[in-house]
């Protein structure tokens, strides 16, 4: 279903400490907004290669496993990834916005119950204009009627303006930061840009942090009735 590079660990290794961390993230997201409904959530990062799409995909799986209907949208028109993670054909959003396909015909099922995907479609010459269009808002409104959660993959904040174009159109934003790669001032700049664009930042995920063996031991001891790691 997924390559090693884009592993859906919540689906494939449900009892691992990392899968448990995603379920904790799911809980944090569900309780992160108290003043209104949290339905549309955008994932972005400060720069490329920080694990944004893999984090999004695993979070979406965790939400779907809780019984919620989830649709993922790949709005990273410049470097789409979700169709690779889920091994799907890439016919989707830009086909709807430009070629006037119907969304209901292009939303694809996944092997995960309750989880569907709308891929990016062909890479357009004008991504930010398409994302800010009236047609895009209409598509968002339609998809919100089809799911409990709409999870959106957007390009990195500092590289291009696409994520900021969509920032005010979603209920919340998750910023993914690679712990060993991003300087604090870059993460701060990404945060400032999203807030300046009237986005509601739910929080920051510090990605690729090594789990200490002691933590893993306690997880397996209490979280699994069949598996313990060797000391």
């Amino acid at each position: 279903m997924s390559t090693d590079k884009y592993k859906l660990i919540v689906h494939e290794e449900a009892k691992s400490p990392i899968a448990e961390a995603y379920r904790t993230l799911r809980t944090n997201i569900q309780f992160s907004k108290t003043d209104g409904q949290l339905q549309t959530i955008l994932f972005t990062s400060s720069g490329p290669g920080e694990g944004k799409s893999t984090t999004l995909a695993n979070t979406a799986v965790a939400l779907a496993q809780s019984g919620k209907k989830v649709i993922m949208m790949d709005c990273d028109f410049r470097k789409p990834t979700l169709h690779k993670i889920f091994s799907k054909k890439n016919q989707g959003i830009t086909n709807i916005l430009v070629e006037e396909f119907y969304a209901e015909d292009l939303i694809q099922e996944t092997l995960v119950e309750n989880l569907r995907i709308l891929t990016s479609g062909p890479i357009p010459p004008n991504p930010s204009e398409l994302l800010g269009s009236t047609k895009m808002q209409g598509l968002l409104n339609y998809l919100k009627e089809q799911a409990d959660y709409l999870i959106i993959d957007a390009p990195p904040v500092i590289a291009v303006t696409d994520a900021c174009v969509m920032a005010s159109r979603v209920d919340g934003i998750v910023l993914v930061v690679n712990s060993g790669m991003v300087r604090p001032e870059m993460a701060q700049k990404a945060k400032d840009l999203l807030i300046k664009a009237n986005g509601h930042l739910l929080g920051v995920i510090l990605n690729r942090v090594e789990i200490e063996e002691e933590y893993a031991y306690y997880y397996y001891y209490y979280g699994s009735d069949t598996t313990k790691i060797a000391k």
Side-chain angles (χ1 to χ4, degrees):
M1 184 175 180
S2 59
T3 66
D4 288 341
K5 183 179 179 182
Y6 302 116
K7 196 164 188 177
L8 288 176
I9 198 162
V10 178
H11 179 67
E12 297 166 9
E13 298 179 24
K15 292 187 176 182
S16 67
I18 298 176
E20 182 61 24
Y22 277 113
R23 286 189 285 272
T24 300
L25 172 61
R26 174 186 68 194
T27 303
N28 291 341
I29 287 175
Q30 289 173 324
F31 288 94
S32 61
K33 189 175 183 182
T34 56
D35 56 343
Q37 188 176 13
L38 179 61
Q39 186 180 16
T40 52
I41 305 170
L42 182 144
F43 278 64
T44 186
S45 58
S46 56
E50 297 189 56
K52 161 183 62 73
S53 297
T54 303
T55 301
L56 175 152
N58 278 283
T59 305
V61 171
L63 284 167
Q65 288 176 340
S66 71
K68 299 296 184 181
K69 293 181 180 178
V70 181
I71 295 178
M72 298 174 294
M73 293 180 71
D74 196 343
C75 291
D76 191 342
F77 292 163
R78 302 169 193 266
K79 193 177 179 182
T81 304
L82 292 184
H83 68 285
K84 298 177 183 176
I85 297 176
F86 289 88
S87 302
K88 296 295 181 182
K89 62 181 180 181
N90 190 17
Q91 189 178 34
I93 299 171
T94 56
N95 299 99
I96 297 167
L97 299 180
V98 178
E99 302 177 42
E100 300 188 351
F101 279 70
Y102 291 107
E104 57 264 37
D105 296 330
L106 299 184
I107 297 173
Q108 302 179 67
E109 300 286 340
T110 72
L111 290 177
V112 179
E113 187 178 3
N114 298 319
L115 181 61
R116 294 183 289 167
I117 182 173
L118 183 58
T119 63
S120 69
I123 296 174
N126 53 344
S128 57
E129 286 80 3
L130 280 181
L131 291 171
S133 66
T134 303
K135 274 191 168 182
M136 185 65 189
Q137 184 61 58
L139 178 59
L140 288 172
N141 292 340
Y142 169 77
L143 294 173
K144 287 167 67 175
E145 295 174 355
Q146 312 304 314
D148 297 308
Y149 287 103
L150 191 57
I151 308 297
I152 301 170
D153 194 358
V157 180
I158 295 177
V160 291
T161 189
D162 302 15
C164 290
V165 168
M166 297 196 69
S168 64
R169 292 186 167 191
V170 298
D171 300 323
I173 300 169
V174 174
L175 180 64
V176 179
V177 174
N178 187 327
S179 63
M181 174 178 161
V182 177
R183 300 196 306 275
E185 57 269 28
M186 299 301 288
Q188 182 66 48
K189 183 177 180 180
K191 174 190 171 186
D192 293 344
L193 286 171
L194 292 169
I195 292 175
K196 190 177 180 180
N198 295 321
H200 176 70
L201 188 63
L202 297 175
V204 176
I205 296 175
L206 196 58
N207 197 25
R208 293 173 184 159
V209 177
E210 287 192 16
I211 298 176
E212 295 180 3
E213 185 182 3
E214 183 179 9
Y215 171 81
Y217 172 76
Y218 282 114
Y219 168 74
Y220 278 114
Y221 189 83
Y222 288 104
S224 170
D225 56 1
T226 57
T227 308
K228 297 178 182 179
I229 63 172
K231 290 290 286 182

